[in-house]
Amino acid sequence: MTDQPHARPAEPGPRTAPGANAGTGAAPHDYTDAVERALGALDLDTKVRLLSGQDMWSLPAVPAIGLRSLVMSDGPIGVRGRHWSAADPSVALPSPTALAATWDPELARRAGRLLAQEARRKGVHVLLAPTVNLHRSPLGGRHFECYSEDPLLTGLMGAGYVRGVQEGGVGTTVKHFVANDAETDRFTVDNRIAPRPLHELYLAPFEHIVTQARPWGIMTAYNQVNGSTMTEHHHLVTEVLRGAWGFDGCNVSDWTAARNTVRALRGGLDVAMPGPRTVFGAPLAAAVRAGEIAESEVDTAVRRVLLLAARTGCLDGVPPAAPADAPQPIDGRAVARELARRAVVLLRNEPVGEASAGGARPVLPLDPAALRRVAVIGAAARDARVLGGGSATVFPATVVSPLTGLRAALPDDVEVVFATGADPRTRTPHARDGFTLRARYLAADGRLLAETPQFDGKVQVLDSFPDGVTRQELHAVELTGSFVPRITGPHTLALVGAGRLRLTLGESVLFDGDGAAPEGTDPFEAFLNPPEHRVTTDLAADQELALTLRFVPHSLGLGGGLDALNVVLGHLEPQLDGDAEIAEAVRAATGADAAIVVVATTEEVESEGFDRTDLRLPGRQDELVARVAAANPRTVVVVNSGSPVELPWRDQVPAVLLSWFPGQEAGTALADVLLGDHEPGGRLPTTWPARLADAPVTTVTPTDGALPYTEGVFIGYRAWQRGSTAPAYPFGHGLGYTRWEYESLDTTPDSVRVRLRNAGDRPGREVVQIYLAPAGDTSGAPERPAHWLAGFGTVEAGPGESAETEIPLPGRAFEVWSEPDGGWRRIPGTYTVEAAHSSADIRLTARITAG
């Protein structure tokens, strides 16, 4: 084949008729006639209403054409529903980085099916997920909600998620299209990206998902790309997304991202969210009547909204894209537990102590029969960080902490001692243990408008108040109930809320005053993290006290007509000072058969709305690990973070596990892995640097409004290969509890077959990674990485058994985006195929020739 450009989708799936439910696995439906009938019955004012949210989460109903209100909800790791509260709990799965660490698109598909079940239970028709932006820099504050630094891994995992959700009859909106890779100035930043990295990296996951899984929706981002805001980007939305890739779904703006009526509609935007006041609706009707835009252009967008409604079962008279009884009942806790343990990455596992008869054995898995006393250390061991901050927040019915999970899993004769050691939190955690709370919504005359149960001490509303509550009538919120302290001593209670706050505990008024108004350049960050006020009081253990926090807000809203309310009661038990806490942890670890230290980030470090400034663990956690490791040679460290952190002590401890943000079954899954009931099956979806200074890309702050992506195609492991410094842990790294010998590698131009043998004494699972590297004469070819991920597969085998996997080599793996020609160009020549355990651990190689 000659070296000529050709524009085509990456390995596209079969095309379907317009309106068909491609990607769901169900029989296709052609909704064209139904959509045209419905459209023909609408007048202009009704049409434009359908392109604008009627509130925070939904589109309006039109009973005359059998159209019901279509409801959307955040849903990367759980389905919150219309209400930002714990009144209707949600299954909380591990973070998307954890899901990506499984390297298992079918597991992502299972997670999607569970979330479809949750969505249908909550009356939600469309999930605002998955998030498939790339980990360009480790400083990205929202990276826990994205999958990986690699576009292929991201695309495959995202496609699995989309298939699973849509097989359950619920739509997805793949987000944030495109290059929403950091949070700093996210509403205005202009990301300047050359065509080649734009297509090869940042557009690539979206392209794979659109062509392979056929999502019903896409969400356009806040940011600009090369001078045009994404909600108005005609080239990328209309020419690339819809034209080159064949996307036939609905384009929804990120919340408040749409800025101009005419430019947004002509740029390819279909729905402006949230309502009721947006650039569409009445302003769009006025633009049509003024001759600024044709009604036929409005009709094009309305057709897409009606198609989404038909697919999700919101349009009468046509069958939805999935059966009415789909999906079948799924055990949410079981899926959450399996996903969490499969996502655990074993970064390090060294032998400790004298060699046994069979040789020195690594410290993990722990043998319960050999344990008499186990020290569990760290604030996050007792109060697990199970999800990231921001719009991905959900409220699970229960959370199993690492401490609780280990105590339940270990035999009764094993003593488990706990010490906080070092608390990384600068904000007081929400009141939970020992509290029984409910929220009462009151009118000015004292009438009870609504009452809801509370998961913890946080009452938060974003646009949708509980039934019976309106902005006009609501005067005050009371968080009321009882508190039974577990420990005698000085307890700290914290109050958060922009308004009048009055806290009564027992017979005493502990605080009566004004909360400060939120501050911050990002209104969502200010809404989530307003200032707090602390009071301390001496309490006796086991003495039940009545408690009421009364809150009269200064205002109800975030601007733009959005109803919002945020009031929090926080609680800290009596604490030692920092030095004493670490000393207590050292005493607990000394002499224990194992010391398990759980370190974590906090919502002040990883959250939507801001980027990170460093990669250090907050507080004195690094010091804690070093001190405990010096006191106990059998120290195991569990890292509870959504994205990379520096681990300066990693060579001082025999075992390091990465649990990510592990979801509601954090403790049960961790116990499964630590005690050897299940293997830690995860592999890193992103390179972990030893120091931030070593990371190839650290610029996330724009200059004069612009952020140039000067690194081109060299991010992640592609960039690390060019430097002289090795990362702490490379892309794809992860150990198991057995050893694998790679026996053979057979190749064709279209696929590879790898045979492996389990050389250990336990059953195991291996992720086989396939990389391509240019070999021979590369003159005349554009600069490319030393190698790049071309595919992956998994094998499972018992001790001594062999297994093999066949992994396709996609044609796109041999192509680059040709900027002069505006299309994909196949680069012929000789390539080395690498079968690898990680990007830095190549086990077998072979040569192939690509024509």
Side-chain angles (χ1 to χ4, degrees):
M1 180 178 291
T2 59
D3 186 12
Q4 296 294 321
H6 55 293
R8 62 170 176 78
E11 313 303 314
R15 293 287 178 172
T16 55
N21 56 314
T24 67
H29 301 293
D30 188 340
Y31 296 115
T32 303
D33 291 343
V35 166
E36 292 302 322
R37 283 195 303 271
L39 178 65
L42 301 177
D43 60 22
L44 175 62
D45 291 315
T46 306
K47 291 175 185 176
V48 297
R49 282 199 302 118
L50 290 178
L51 307 185
S52 179
Q54 67 177 350
D55 52 30
M56 188 71 173
W57 304 114
S58 68
L59 299 182
V62 183
I65 61 170
L67 178 66
R68 291 181 294 283
S69 177
L70 187 146
V71 178
M72 309 177 198
S73 171
D74 287 311
I77 58 98
V79 183
R80 189 172 58 248
R82 299 181 66 150
H83 299 288
W84 196 294
S85 81
D88 183 12
S90 308
V91 173
L93 299 178
S95 64
T97 46
L99 182 57
T102 69
W103 289 59
D104 189 343
E106 280 303 309
L107 190 56
R109 193 173 190 170
R110 288 182 57 201
R113 288 172 178 160
L114 169 64
L115 295 180
Q117 172 180 286
E118 283 279 279
R120 292 171 71 129
R121 179 177 67 82
K122 287 173 174 269
V124 169
H125 307 104
V126 175
L127 291 186
L128 304 173
T131 305
V132 298
N133 301 111
L134 295 186
H135 297 173
R136 171 179 173 264
S137 165
L139 293 177
R142 204 173 178 180
H143 279 355
F144 61 86
E145 196 178 319
C146 310
Y147 290 119
S148 170
E149 69 187 27
D150 182 78
L152 178 64
L153 177 58
T154 297
L156 288 167
M157 297 303 295
Y161 176 100
V162 167
R163 289 190 184 99
V165 173
Q166 293 185 174
E167 284 165 354
V170 176
T172 57
T173 52
V174 187
K175 64 183 187 182
H176 307 84
F177 188 76
V178 60
N180 186 177
D181 308 306
E183 295 293 282
T184 303
D185 295 346
R186 62 176 175 161
F187 296 107
T188 58
V189 61
D190 181 9
N191 294 321
R192 304 284 179 83
I193 313 173
R196 185 181 169 205
L198 180 60
H199 282 267
E200 291 188 18
L201 297 181
Y202 303 102
L203 287 170
F206 292 94
E207 181 181 9
H208 181 89
I209 294 168
V210 166
T211 58
Q212 297 297 298
R214 313 300 292 173
W216 300 343
I218 204 105
M219 181 188 289
T220 38
Y222 292 120
N223 55 280
Q224 301 176 61
V225 172
N226 298 330
S228 176
T229 184
M230 282 308 306
T231 53
E232 303 169 9
H233 212 302
H234 182 273
H235 170 62
L236 290 180
V237 173
T238 302
E239 297 175 4
V240 175
L241 173 66
R242 295 197 185 279
W245 303 349
F247 175 66
D248 70 349
C250 187
N251 174 12
V252 180
S253 76
D254 204 342
W255 267 223
T256 73
R259 298 171 175 87
N260 181 276
T261 300
V262 174
R263 292 199 304 268
L265 192 72
R266 288 193 169 149
L269 185 67
D270 300 320
V271 174
M273 291 295 290
R277 293 193 290 275
T278 77
V279 299
F280 288 168
L284 181 55
V288 172
R289 292 184 174 115
E292 298 173 358
I293 202 160
E295 187 169 352
S296 60
E297 295 175 87
V298 174
D299 290 349
T300 299
V302 175
R303 286 186 181 94
R304 295 168 185 150
V305 173
L306 292 172
L307 174 58
L308 179 61
R311 284 169 161 167
T312 56
C314 290
L315 185 62
D316 289 345
V318 294
D325 60 351
Q328 297 301 313
I330 300 169
D331 185 338
R333 291 191 62 182
V335 172
R337 182 174 182 172
E338 180 181 0
L339 203 162
R341 66 194 180 203
R342 287 273 301 277
V344 170
V345 179
L346 182 58
L347 297 175
R348 177 178 170 86
N349 193 22
E350 298 297 317
V352 175
E354 296 180 1
S356 64
R361 301 184 66 84
V363 67
L364 292 179
L366 300 174
D367 179 4
L371 301 175
R372 292 294 174 266
R373 182 169 172 269
V374 174
V376 179
I377 296 166
R382 183 179 58 192
D383 303 307
R385 177 92 191 276
V386 299
L387 45 82
S391 60
T393 299
V394 296
F395 304 91
T398 60
V399 172
V400 182
S401 71
L403 179 60
T404 300
L406 281 164
R407 280 179 167 160
L410 286 167
D412 293 340
D413 60 351
V414 177
E415 179 187 8
V416 178
V417 295
F418 171 75
T420 301
D423 194 331
R425 298 168 293 195
T426 59
R427 296 178 70 89
T428 309
H430 304 153
R432 185 179 303 168
D433 291 334
F435 291 82
T436 302
L437 300 170
R438 61 190 184 278
R440 292 164 48 87
Y441 297 81
L442 304 172
D445 60 6
R447 284 182 297 114
L448 179 64
L449 303 174
E451 184 170 335
T452 61
Q454 284 294 122
F455 172 67
D456 57 19
K458 184 173 189 175
V459 179
Q460 196 167 69
V461 170
L462 189 56
D463 188 70
S464 183
F465 286 110
D467 292 340
V469 181
T470 65
R471 176 192 276 207
Q472 292 73 26
E473 279 199 293
L474 181 62
H475 173 70
V477 177
E478 287 185 349
L479 188 60
T480 186
S482 63
F483 173 43
V484 180
R486 298 184 298 185
I487 300 173
T488 296
H491 289 248
T492 299
L493 296 166
L495 318 176
V496 171
R500 188 77 179 179
L501 295 160
R502 178 183 172 91
L503 175 64
T504 305
L505 184 64
E507 302 297 322
S508 302
V509 176
L510 300 183
F511 184 89
D512 191 355
D514 270 348
E519 298 177 356
T521 56
D522 187 319
F524 197 77
E525 177 189 356
F527 169 66
L528 289 174
N529 297 305
E532 66 178 17
H533 304 272
R534 296 187 180 188
V535 294
T536 301
T537 184
D538 288 321
L539 300 175
D542 302 323
Q543 178 183 341
E544 183 173 358
L545 297 168
L547 178 148
T548 298
L549 171 59
R550 181 178 174 84
F551 173 60
V552 181
H554 288 319
S555 64
L556 293 168
L558 273 180
L562 299 182
D563 295 334
L565 180 149
N566 187 18
V567 58
V568 179
L569 173 67
H571 171 249
L572 274 176
E573 290 183 331
Q575 291 184 295
L576 303 171
D577 64 36
D579 291 340
E581 282 192 329
I582 291 179
E584 180 188 51
V586 170
R587 287 193 297 273
T590 301
D593 297 306
I596 300 167
V597 185
V598 182
V599 295
T601 59
T602 68
E603 288 191 5
E604 293 81 43
V605 173
E606 288 189 84
S607 176
E608 179 179 355
F610 56 89
D611 288 315
R612 302 160 75 186
T613 57
D614 59 56
L615 302 184
R616 294 189 296 273
L617 287 167
R620 299 174 64 178
Q621 294 181 100
D622 288 331
E623 179 186 353
L624 171 67
V625 172
R627 293 276 301 278
V628 169
N632 190 320
R634 299 182 64 83
T635 294
V636 177
V637 181
V638 179
V639 183
N640 184 188
S641 72
S643 46
V645 293
E646 294 175 0
L647 309 175
W649 34 260
R650 65 187 184 279
D651 293 333
Q652 302 172 35
V653 297
V656 182
L657 287 159
L658 172 57
S659 67
W660 310 100
F661 295 151
Q664 67 180 58
E665 296 298 316
T668 50
L670 181 61
D672 287 342
V673 170
L674 288 175
L675 302 180
D677 293 330
H678 291 272
E679 187 178 34
R683 304 293 185 264
L684 287 180
T686 289
T687 307
W688 276 48
R691 305 178 306 153
L692 173 61
D694 298 334
V697 181
T698 57
T699 302
V700 295
T701 301
T703 301
D704 297 328
L707 182 61
Y709 284 32
T710 56
E711 68 281 353
V713 297
F714 295 97
I715 66 170
Y717 67 91
R718 291 167 165 82
W720 281 96
Q721 295 162 356
R722 291 158 51 110
S724 58
T725 303
Y729 299 105
F731 175 80
H733 172 72
L735 307 175
Y737 287 158
T738 188
R739 296 180 296 105
W740 291 92
E741 293 180 355
Y742 283 58
E743 295 182 325
S744 64
L745 169 63
D746 298 316
T747 67
T748 73
D750 300 316
S751 69
V752 301
R753 183 179 295 274
V754 184
R755 186 170 183 82
L756 303 86
R757 186 176 71 86
N758 182 346
D761 56 6
R762 293 174 52 99
R765 175 179 180 271
E766 173 74 331
V767 177
V768 180
Q769 302 162 43
I770 301 297
Y771 296 86
L772 279 183
D777 183 13
T778 60
S779 60
E783 184 181 17
R784 288 180 287 176
H787 70 183
W788 54 89
L789 185 69
F792 56 89
T794 60
V795 298
E796 295 184 11
E801 295 178 351
S802 294
E804 64 179 29
T805 178
E806 184 170 4
I807 301 168
L809 287 178
R812 180 59 56 81
F814 300 94
E815 298 174 350
V816 300
W817 181 263
S818 173
E819 296 184 9
D821 302 290
W824 290 98
R825 182 187 300 274
R826 187 174 178 91
I827 306 298
T830 303
Y831 291 82
T832 300
V833 177
E834 301 169 341
H837 176 75
S838 78
S839 61
D841 185 0
I842 311 302
R843 301 294 180 87
L844 295 173
T845 62
R847 292 288 181 96
I848 62 171
T849 299

